[in-house]
Amino acid sequence: MSSFEYRLNRKREEMRSLFTRLYGSDEALDDLIMVMREYYIKRSDELKALDEAREKDPLWYRRGDMLGLTMYSDLFSQGLKGLKDRVDYLNRLSLKYLHLMPLLKMPEKDNDGGYAVEDFFTVDPRFGTNEDLAALTEELRKHGISLCLDFVMNHTASTHEWARRAEAGDERYQDYYMCFSDRTYPDEYEKTTPEVFPATAPGNFIWNDKMKKWVLSSFYPYQWDLNYRNPEVLREMLRSALHLANLGVEVFRLDAVPYIWKQLGTTSRNLPEVHLIVRLMRLVLETVCPSVILKGEVVMAPKELKAYFGTPEAPECHLLYNVSLMVNFWSALASQDVRLLDHMAEDILSMEDHCSFVNYIRCHDDIGWGLDEDYERKIGIDPLKHKIFLYRFYEGAFRGSYSLGQLYNYDEASLDARSCGTTASLCGIESGRNHFDDELIEKGVKRDMLMHAALYSFRGFPMLSSGDEIGQLNDWSYMNDPARALDSRNIHRSRFNWDNEAKAERGEGYEGEIFSGILTFDRIRKTDPCFAPEAKVTTWKSHSDGVFSIRRTVNGRDMLCVMNFRDSVEHVHYDYFMGDYSDVFTGRTVNPGNGFDLEPYEYLYLVQDSQAFSSSF
């Protein structure tokens, strides 16, 4: 019996049950199993060997040596072939995980940065070919690096073959989407379903004159929502996932997954059927290619995230994006107040052991100010005023701000807006450079390193945004390009600066200081036992609202990570931490129980002197 048949026999009954709950019967399951068997047969011996290795090491993605990087392959290295030639650089960063921004075939214009997919089976010629992708994943595997790609589940481009056939009148493909001849359904749907982009893409439906029908389009008009009530859609989307897995993709980031099931009378977000589909997708991958894992993009409050992990008995996503951590980091830095960050961290860290996150300071997208408004009110913060302060601060429009960023999706009616910019520019390094002020630059570097210290201390694994490791600044030239000028996110979607990378490698300037700091954080995570996957991670009170503290404990060994988010000296003390502790970075010795001072933006990773580790720095 093949490995596939053995796995299928163990999972078939649950798959049958899920199909019946979704579609009222399991008639369509046999067609899906045929697709699964087809792609297992096509799967290379090398990838099947990886499957077997990962089955013996199922928590490989939770090890302390995991470090991720996200990038646009064309901006980093002129596409997939160029990236393959730069794998030595990724190795120097000790990467284990590389997330490439969307690179499947997309329209020339109106493609939402690749999130409007025209063909799920083909790499866009702007980035390379399918053969280039397979060659890249093979090279990455040699160095122990897993490739992550976005899997856009909710919609296709309006130029996708399915959409073109629907427009031509093919009713089969019209049923791949949600198309209506009159406004009866759309009007009912609009009553309870919020708009994603009310200012720039109002309404959830567009009129298609070729079909003479209304089409559900939750995001932009050129992105048509798929109809997962049709089992053919689920089967064909899983076919495309298996195709990409056979090209060597090891992680799928499930884009906009909460939106994929629609139901009148609801918000059509996070419905039970979404979880049935994600669970089914995991079973399919575990049967055909168990080395492949799922990462959910779920932009919700921490208390609502847990459902997307499923349960230990019926797990769904292996990983989730920790978007709340990013937002609360930046809020704490601007306000010099960690109370919201503490509260959010407690929610995340109280989740069960099977809940694991990818943590980051910046990503390809904007910073959307989705903070816990109920808790803000509880501690005396006006949520709207705080949001306005934050996006004005990071725009550099607030008096005393050191930051240089831009607004994204400003809504005059609601006063909502998001923020864009590279980490270095938002932390003040660009402002210091503009003023030829070394002191301002150095303070910006301290903020940058503080943010990374907080990132690396957290449960889960850190993911860097390409360029942040060398302190890359904003690229304002996007405003001179008509094709890019209307999207302010392009300010941080800039071409990787290899001249600055060379400076960083030589240890020169702020680039070298940041690069060296990132490598040091990584070495500590890889060598200190407190970053083992079984370590218990909790927040700890510092008795200062400006200092964020994480405690990591494993096998009797303690590490206390303390980060001062204020531009002032803060006195802290930690109950129950008695005796001398030393900082693994500098060797500084303090007694947390008696209290000690932290300089502005200072961070320490403290271990007891009696437990000093040989790889401390």
Side-chain angles (χ1 to χ4, degrees):
M1 180 185 294
S2 70
S3 297
F4 171 82
E5 297 298 340
Y6 174 74
R7 297 175 196 134
L8 179 61
N9 287 342
R10 294 173 58 203
K11 302 178 189 298
R12 190 194 301 262
E13 285 310 308
E14 185 181 356
M15 293 172 65
R16 192 178 305 281
S17 172
L18 291 168
F19 252 78
T20 301
R21 291 168 67 185
L22 281 167
Y23 302 117
S25 76
D26 63 356
E27 290 180 11
L29 178 58
D30 288 343
D31 289 340
L32 174 59
I33 289 175
M34 287 178 61
V35 170
M36 293 166 61
R37 187 173 283 113
E38 172 192 350
Y39 280 89
Y40 174 77
I41 292 169
K42 290 179 178 178
R43 194 160 173 80
S44 72
D45 289 341
E46 182 188 348
L47 290 175
K48 287 178 180 177
L50 180 64
D51 293 335
E52 291 184 10
R54 293 273 170 83
E55 284 189 294
K56 296 173 184 175
D57 182 22
L59 298 182
W60 60 272
Y61 56 92
R62 297 181 62 175
R63 291 195 298 260
D65 65 351
M66 287 295 292
L67 172 65
L69 183 73
T70 181
M71 68 167 64
Y72 289 87
S73 60
D74 56 329
L75 297 178
F76 181 76
S77 57
Q78 305 296 319
L80 298 177
K81 281 186 177 178
L83 177 54
K84 182 172 177 285
D85 295 335
R86 294 285 191 178
V87 171
D88 61 329
Y89 173 71
L90 306 182
N91 246 350
R92 291 199 293 281
L93 289 176
S94 298
L95 281 195
K96 297 294 181 184
Y97 171 106
L98 177 65
H99 179 186
L100 296 184
M101 289 293 100
L103 48 73
L104 299 180
K105 195 168 187 304
M106 63 189 79
E108 185 67 30
K109 297 180 180 178
D110 292 336
N111 57 44
D112 190 26
Y115 289 95
V117 180
E118 199 168 72
D119 182 352
F120 289 96
F121 288 82
T122 306
V123 171
D124 193 287
R126 282 169 280 191
F127 305 101
T129 65
N130 285 16
E131 290 73 23
D132 294 334
L133 178 59
L136 172 63
T137 61
E138 182 179 3
E139 183 66 22
L140 291 173
R141 281 195 302 278
K142 292 177 184 176
H143 299 278
I145 302 173
S146 298
L147 184 73
C148 172
L149 285 188
D150 289 88
F151 191 66
V152 184
M153 290 190 70
N154 182 69
H155 46 258
T156 74
S158 59
T159 50
H160 191 284
E161 181 188 0
W162 298 342
R164 291 188 184 279
R165 291 190 180 192
E167 280 188 324
D170 190 324
E171 293 184 359
R172 176 187 174 188
Y173 287 97
Q174 288 179 2
D175 196 37
Y176 274 42
Y177 302 98
M178 302 191 75
C179 308
F180 303 94
S181 299
D182 60 41
R183 287 290 306 184
T184 304
Y185 181 99
D187 288 344
E188 286 299 310
Y189 185 89
E190 297 281 19
K191 289 179 181 178
T192 58
T193 306
E195 298 171 344
V196 178
F197 300 126
T200 55
N204 285 297
F205 290 83
I206 59 163
W207 174 254
N208 184 271
D209 206 45
K210 293 180 181 178
M211 286 192 294
K212 305 297 182 186
K213 290 187 175 183
W214 294 94
V215 182
L216 180 59
S217 177
S218 297
F219 288 80
Y220 291 107
Y222 51 82
Q223 293 165 310
W224 290 10
D225 287 44
L226 288 164
N227 175 21
Y228 280 92
R229 291 177 176 276
N230 179 351
E232 280 191 39
V233 170
L234 178 59
R235 182 193 70 213
E236 292 308 304
M237 290 299 287
L238 287 171
R239 183 195 297 275
S240 63
L242 293 174
H243 166 76
L244 293 169
N246 279 2
L247 290 176
V249 176
E250 296 180 33
V251 186
F252 288 114
R253 173 189 176 272
L254 303 183
D255 179 69
V257 64
Y259 296 78
I260 62 176
W261 193 273
K262 278 72 175 180
Q263 178 68 52
L264 284 183
T266 74
T267 61
S268 292
R269 309 281 194 272
N270 311 305
L271 297 180
E273 290 82 0
V274 171
H275 297 285
L276 300 181
I277 290 172
V278 176
R279 174 62 183 158
L280 184 58
M281 186 173 188
R282 177 154 176 167
L283 290 172
V284 168
L285 295 176
E286 286 180 345
T287 303
V288 180
C289 46
S291 59
V292 178
I293 64 173
L294 300 175
K295 178 178 71 171
E297 185 232 6
V298 185
V299 183
M300 297 179 352
K303 61 188 176 183
E304 298 173 308
L305 295 176
K306 182 178 170 183
Y308 284 86
F309 289 110
T311 65
E313 298 75 26
E316 296 175 25
C317 291
H318 299 75
L319 297 163
L320 289 185
Y321 254 6
N322 198 348
V323 63
S324 292
L325 191 67
M326 171 186 73
V327 173
N328 279 276
F329 276 160
W330 289 108
S331 172
L333 188 67
S335 63
Q336 302 189 45
D337 185 335
V338 302
R339 287 178 295 168
L340 290 172
L341 173 58
D342 261 334
H343 179 71
M344 180 282 309
E346 288 169 2
D347 282 347
I348 293 287
L349 295 175
S350 66
M351 293 184 189
E352 289 87 343
D353 287 345
H354 72 285
C355 303
S356 192
F357 288 89
V358 178
N359 305 313
Y360 53 99
I361 296 171
R362 286 291 298 114
C363 66
H364 70 286
D365 229 333
D366 53 84
I367 304 171
W369 298 109
L371 297 165
D372 187 334
E373 295 188 359
D374 290 339
Y375 190 71
E376 285 184 286
R377 295 185 188 95
K378 183 177 178 179
I379 61 176
I381 296 174
D382 182 298
L384 180 58
K385 288 181 179 178
H386 186 52
K387 180 187 294 187
I388 294 171
F389 158 70
L390 289 170
Y391 65 66
R392 291 302 182 196
F393 184 93
Y394 285 111
E395 185 190 16
F398 193 87
R399 184 176 179 181
S401 171
Y402 47 74
S403 191
L404 284 178
Q406 285 209 312
L407 300 186
Y408 175 68
N409 263 13
Y410 176 72
D411 185 343
E412 215 170 89
S414 67
L415 299 180
D416 189 36
R418 307 175 184 195
S419 300
C420 302
T422 69
T423 295
S425 292
L426 295 180
C427 284
I429 295 174
E430 183 175 353
S431 181
R433 277 199 58 183
N434 289 349
H435 290 89
F436 303 98
D437 190 323
D438 290 341
E439 186 177 339
L440 288 180
I441 292 173
E442 188 55 36
K443 191 165 279 191
V445 171
K446 286 182 178 179
R447 296 187 194 100
D448 193 305
M449 288 289 92
L450 170 80
M451 295 284 273
H452 282 93
L455 173 71
Y456 276 71
S457 74
F458 212 73
R459 174 175 146 189
F461 75 81
M463 182 173 71
L464 306 174
S465 182
S466 178
D468 273 3
E469 75 275 18
I470 59 170
Q472 194 145 308
L473 304 181
N474 290 333
D475 178 12
W476 297 90
S477 68
Y478 87 92
M479 300 175 75
N480 301 321
D481 181 351
R484 303 171 73 227
L486 296 179
D487 189 339
S488 57
R489 292 174 298 182
N490 287 316
I491 196 171
H492 56 251
R493 297 174 178 175
S494 53
R495 195 165 297 284
F496 190 81
N497 191 319
W498 286 102
D499 289 338
N500 285 354
E501 189 277 330
K503 283 181 63 179
E505 296 255 21
R506 294 192 300 268
E508 299 173 2
Y510 67 84
E511 297 92 343
E513 194 172 348
I514 291 172
F515 190 71
S516 175
I518 294 294
L519 294 182
T520 300
F521 287 132
D522 189 57
R523 287 197 298 270
I524 290 171
R525 277 188 63 94
K526 283 178 166 58
T527 56
D528 195 293
C530 284
F531 291 96
E534 65 271 19
K536 182 174 177 58
V537 185
T538 57
T539 59
W540 208 263
K541 298 302 180 186
S542 68
H543 300 283
S544 166
D545 287 340
V547 178
F548 180 57
S549 307
I550 289 289
R551 181 189 187 185
R552 304 188 68 97
T553 307
V554 64
N555 298 328
R557 176 177 171 81
D558 254 349
M559 176 181 283
L560 181 64
C561 306
V562 299
M563 285 76 62
N564 182 10
F565 276 75
R566 284 187 174 163
D567 190 13
S568 61
V569 175
E570 290 296 302
H571 185 78
V572 295
H573 73 269
Y574 295 88
D575 300 330
Y576 311 113
F577 279 82
M578 307 309 297
D580 288 340
Y581 281 69
S582 294
D583 176 34
V584 300
F585 300 105
T586 65
R588 177 187 174 189
T589 299
V590 298
N591 187 320
N594 292 340
F596 59 93
D597 287 342
L598 285 169
E599 294 298 312
Y601 306 120
E602 186 177 8
Y603 56 88
L604 308 172
Y605 284 10
L606 298 169
V607 295
Q608 281 186 309
D609 284 351
S610 61
Q611 299 175 333
F613 195 62
S614 61
S615 294
S616 296
F617 298 89

